Amino acid sequence: MAETANPVTARDFARRKKAGEPIVMITAYDALFASLADAARVDAILVGDSLQTVLAGEETTLGATVDQMIYHGRMVRRGTERAMVVVDMPFLSYQVSPTDAVRNGGRILKETGAGAVKLEGGAAVAPAVEALATAGVPVMGHLRYTHQSASGSGAGRGRDRGRGAFETLIRELKALENAGVFAVVLAMMPAVIARRLTEAASVPTIGIGSGPRCDGQVLMIHEMLGLDGDDAPPHVKRYAELGDEVREAVAGYAEEVRRGEFPGPEHVQKV
Ligand code: KIV
């Protein structure tokens, strides 16, 4: 059994929406990045199943497992004192049955000490959300660009842009709200739709690629730090170019070793 959850809770999220104070969420997959983000006073740290693509170099997130999410969730929880830790439930850990969802979500919460789990989908996953919420597991929803199913048969980036998209999404959102989510990620949708959903929502919305009028924002930390290669998607603002710095630093080290300049006298143990 891991430590108990951190000070920021679902109740704080609700208060923020009411007060019009933006909620800040960022991803992290280990204690180091989590502690840096926590020290920067973000409100929530998401252990996304994006770890499959960002860390493991896979093409999609589909292969993420519950054990993997627990392993990374524990690391993030250890690096975090204040922010709420939210752990993604991976593909097929909640779709098979609500009982399965409670078993897997409960394990994630108990074994990581996270404050909440996140799962993707709308009305179709409402029974799982309801079962989790009834069991006392705080659930964050995730609507629209569902990358778990985008690589399978479901809706993907760029669909549902036409008329009716709002009506479809508001139905999905209300199904999630009624089932008991405390917040919902609105991913990769036109800003006007995200704004209307946010106005209609009784729970806070956290946007990614969905414009400025959500109740909060989430970014993937490796993307906003410039650690993920050169082709970040348009919704990402680069707050640093750490990839370039790492490359330059390692190249400098390699060159100095090859020239016999490192280690210098100051780096040698004195006897
Ligand atoms: O897995 C993830 O990192 C996510 C974010 C893109 C919101 O779900």
Side-chain angles (χ1 to χ4, degrees), residues 137-254:
V137 178
V139 186
M140 182 178 281
H142 180 147
L143 270 181
R144 183 68 201 306
Y145 175 57
T146 51
H147 58 236
Q148 285 177 353
S149 57
S151 43
S153 58
R157 193 194 297 258
R159 291 184 51 177
D160 285 343
R161 281 189 191 278
R163 237 195 262 140
F166 174 75
E167 281 72 19
T168 305
L169 284 162
I170 191 76
R171 267 198 306 276
E172 306 282 26
L173 176 65
K174 290 295 160 189
L176 291 177
E177 276 183 5
N178 291 336
V181 296
F182 72 92
V184 183
V185 170
L186 301 181
M188 311 306 293
M189 64 180 66
V192 62
I193 291 185
R195 174 178 60 73
R196 290 178 66 197
L197 289 174
T198 299
E199 286 166 1
S202 63
V203 297
T205 63
I206 316 273
I208 178 163
S210 299
R213 299 288 293 279
C214 300
D215 296 309
Q217 296 290 328
V218 55
L219 277 181
M220 286 165 61
I221 197 163
H222 292 74
E223 289 186 339
M224 57 90 77
L225 293 179
L227 281 168
D228 66 324
D230 295 329
D231 51 353
H235 69 269
V236 175
K237 178 171 176 182
R238 297 276 217 207
Y239 285 85
E241 291 295 347
L242 296 192
D244 291 345
E245 292 209 26
V246 171
R247 259 190 305 276
E248 274 167 37
V250 175
Y253 160 68

Side-chain angles (χ1 to χ4, degrees), residues 25-29 46-54 61 69 88 118 120 140 142 145 147-148 185-188 206-208 218-221 223 235:
M25 184 159 86
I26 197 158
T27 59
Y29 314 115
L46 172 66
V47 187
D49 59 2
S50 52
L51 58 81
Q52 270 299 94
T53 52
V54 177
T61 61
M69 299 313 298
D88 259 347
K118 175 167 85 57
E120 295 188 12
M140 182 178 281
H142 180 147
Y145 175 57
H147 58 236
Q148 285 177 353
V185 170
L186 301 181
M188 311 306 293
I206 316 273
I208 178 163
V218 55
L219 277 181
M220 286 165 61
I221 197 163
E223 289 186 339
H235 69 269

